[in-house]
Amino acid sequence: MSDVRISESGFDLDQIDRLLTTTRAVRKRLDFTRDVPDELLFECIDLAEQAPTGGNDASRRWMVVRDQEIKNELGELYRESGEFFLKARGRLDGTGHDKEKVVSSSSYLVENLAQAPVLVIVAIWGIHDNSGRPGLFDSVVPSAWSFNLALRSRGLGSAYTTMLNGRVAELAEVLGIPDSVTTIVTFPVAFTKGTDFKPAPRRPAPEITYFDQWGFTRARPSAEGTARVADGQGVVVEIDTDARPDAVWPIISDIEMPARFSSEFLGAEWTSEGEPGVGSTFVGRNEIPDVAAWEVTCHVSAWEPERCFEWRITDPDKPGAIWRFDLAEQGRGSRLRFSMIIGEENNGTAPQALKNPDREEQVLNGRRQTLKANMQATVEGVKALVDGD
Ligand SMILES: Cc1cc2nc3c(=O)[nH]c(=O)nc-3n(C[C@H](O)[C@H](O)[C@H](O)COP(=O)(O)O)c2cc1C
């Protein structure tokens, strides 16, 4: 028996998945000493042209720049546009900041774009008219990414760059591009130094995939395709604040805060001694007006100041629900994510939903609409507090 995973359509999935997961933005590992033959570029462009275009319109054009003087001019434009990367690198180098590596790598390209053996610029006939019809970007982006994948499959690499889009007039002048054409992406192309690129950390699909309603998550895939208690049905709401994580954390780590904004939470108090951390407990008081009032013990299962706070209700091993705040820098402010997953037992919803399999999805979704409204009110309340709206 071979271990090769062949898909229904006949593809070797290990190979395909390796291509799809390891095609990285390559900058410092571009080998500027080795030429890239035209033959390989034609091959990659032919592959990329298999991508769709709006209206099946064959309007993409590919410019390959090899002339060193022209590359120097483009490199200078790119350097001017990327000045902010060099400044950010000065601030971030040695700090261990999340963006330190990407800023260092992007800065390297800002300083070295013209060293690439070839620059490939993808353009399209047409100019932006904000008409809402299939846009120019939309028709270039799929093929530009196919081009990147084709490069990777042949030992070449690149970084998808758009910084020159702020300098279209100069770009057009240097390359003799007519007014009726829009340039969309610039690829510095080279063989890569080594080929051992790795998958990047990304958010897993269950956290960012919503079923039927915005924010309705599923922790595990459903065999039937419908919402089932056993698959961990959840809710996510997110909001961006102008305030930095250090200003948002004191609000979200205050266990009484949700009671100020959500109609179901009445209040909470710590029942464990000492500073809060993983293993701490608090009791939360809840009610659904005119239906039920209840108290639950909450077990803190993640506590990382300025990053996340998670608690499990009733039984930490068989939680009735898992609640969680995540906080991350976003631009100059923060993105706050408030999420929950309904447990398989130790709550009011699961038995209700499981009573009648025909209504399981309906019960889960009805409950989630209420939870979502309360969670949305909570993150909006947090935003108002920290941004002073
Ligand atoms: C629309 C778009 C624009 C980008 N523009 C630039 C750019 O101007 N300069 C640059 O160095 N990288 C640019 N990148 C590359 C991203 O910074 C890159 O995807 C990021 O570094 C993550 O790297 P990874 O895909 O290897 O994980 C761009 C990527 C996209 C999708």
Side-chain angles (χ1 to χ4, degrees):
M1 272 273 295
S2 123
D3 287 341
V4 178
R5 291 186 306 142
I6 301 294
S7 73
E8 207 175 303
S9 42
F11 289 106
D12 175 340
L13 288 180
D14 290 331
Q15 291 302 321
I16 299 287
D17 293 359
R18 186 165 76 89
L19 179 66
L20 292 174
T21 55
T22 64
T23 303
R24 298 265 69 78
V26 185
R27 305 181 187 92
K28 290 184 179 175
R29 287 176 63 186
L30 294 173
D31 186 348
F32 296 152
T33 65
R34 229 176 126 185
D35 190 29
V36 175
D38 277 353
E39 191 186 348
L40 277 182
L41 292 172
F42 279 156
E43 249 176 64
C44 293
I45 291 168
D46 277 336
L47 289 165
E49 275 298 315
Q50 290 295 320
T53 44
N56 202 12
D57 200 356
S59 296
R60 285 181 294 246
R61 296 295 178 267
W62 301 73
M63 287 217 56
V64 174
V65 181
R66 290 188 180 279
D67 183 291
Q68 193 57 49
E69 266 177 46
I70 302 179
K71 283 194 291 177
N72 288 345
E73 286 187 63
L74 298 182
E76 185 51 26
L77 286 175
Y78 194 80
R79 203 192 57 72
E80 286 168 18
S81 311
E83 202 83 49
F84 67 95
F85 271 124
L86 305 180
K87 288 194 184 127
R89 180 177 60 184
R91 277 199 311 279
L92 296 183
D93 261 359
T95 61
H97 188 278
D98 289 351
K99 293 252 156 73
E100 180 185 340
K101 270 175 93 173
V102 69
V103 166
S104 164
S105 165
S106 301
S107 299
Y108 175 82
L109 190 61
V110 167
E111 288 171 328
N112 291 288
L113 187 88
Q115 306 304 316
V118 287
L119 299 177
V120 175
I121 293 152
V122 198
I124 187 160
W125 271 99
I127 47 171
H128 287 287
D129 61 359
N130 291 321
S131 64
R133 286 172 305 189
L136 302 174
F137 285 96
D138 316 330
S139 287
V140 170
V141 173
S143 71
W145 188 247
S146 291
F147 178 68
N148 225 332
L149 294 168
L151 293 176
R152 165 76 173 132
S153 69
R154 282 151 174 76
L156 298 158
S158 190
Y160 190 115
T161 80
T162 51
M163 224 143 57
L164 285 177
N165 293 359
R167 308 295 292 268
V168 279
E170 288 119 306
L171 194 64
E173 168 84 34
V174 174
L175 297 173
I177 296 173
D179 288 349
S180 43
V181 167
T182 305
T183 50
I184 312 274
V185 196
T186 303
F187 287 111
V189 176
F191 280 95
T192 56
K193 297 180 194 165
T195 55
D196 55 330
F197 295 94
K198 295 190 180 67
R202 300 281 202 249
R203 271 192 183 279
E207 291 181 14
I208 53 166
T209 307
Y210 303 152
F211 289 87
D212 296 324
Q213 288 287 297
W214 183 259
F216 281 17
T217 56
R218 197 166 284 178
R220 294 170 289 280
S222 157
E224 294 93 350
T226 56
R228 297 282 160 190
V229 170
D231 303 321
Q233 307 304 314
V235 180
V236 173
V237 297
E238 292 178 294
I239 205 160
D240 284 354
T241 68
D242 297 333
R244 308 284 296 167
D246 63 338
V248 186
W249 173 256
I251 313 282
I252 62 165
S253 58
D254 171 6
I255 53 170
E256 297 205 59
M257 178 277 292
R260 297 174 62 178
F261 306 113
S262 155
S263 64
E264 279 194 15
F265 295 103
L266 299 182
E269 62 211 48
W270 289 105
T271 44
S272 54
E273 303 284 322
E275 287 296 306
V278 173
S280 297
T281 52
F282 59 96
V283 60
R285 291 188 304 283
N286 309 267
E287 74 165 358
I288 300 176
D290 304 325
V291 177
W294 68 98
E295 280 195 354
V296 281
T297 299
C298 305
H299 303 260
V300 176
S301 42
W303 178 276
E304 289 176 46
E306 297 178 29
R307 282 183 179 269
C308 67
F309 170 24
E310 182 187 273
W311 64 98
R312 292 165 182 243
I313 69 162
T314 310
D315 179 344
D317 297 322
K318 291 178 180 164
I322 302 173
W323 290 86
R324 186 176 171 104
F325 283 114
D326 285 282
L327 201 50
E329 281 184 18
Q330 181 68 32
R332 291 171 188 278
S334 315
R335 177 160 299 159
L336 173 62
R337 182 176 198 272
F338 188 20
S339 61
M340 67 86 62
I341 295 173
I342 300 171
E344 291 181 56
E345 53 197 300
N346 291 319
N347 60 43
T349 307
Q352 195 68 30
L354 291 171
K355 246 194 290 186
N356 178 352
D358 291 340
R359 295 194 61 238
E360 188 172 347
E361 178 160 70
Q362 202 183 339
V363 170
L364 286 164
N365 288 355
R367 180 69 184 127
R368 286 196 285 182
Q369 290 293 10
T370 311
L371 289 164
K372 183 174 151 181
N374 276 313
M375 291 164 73
Q376 185 67 34
T378 303
V379 294
E380 282 171 13
V382 172
K383 180 176 168 63
L385 285 177
V386 294
D387 288 351
D389 298 343

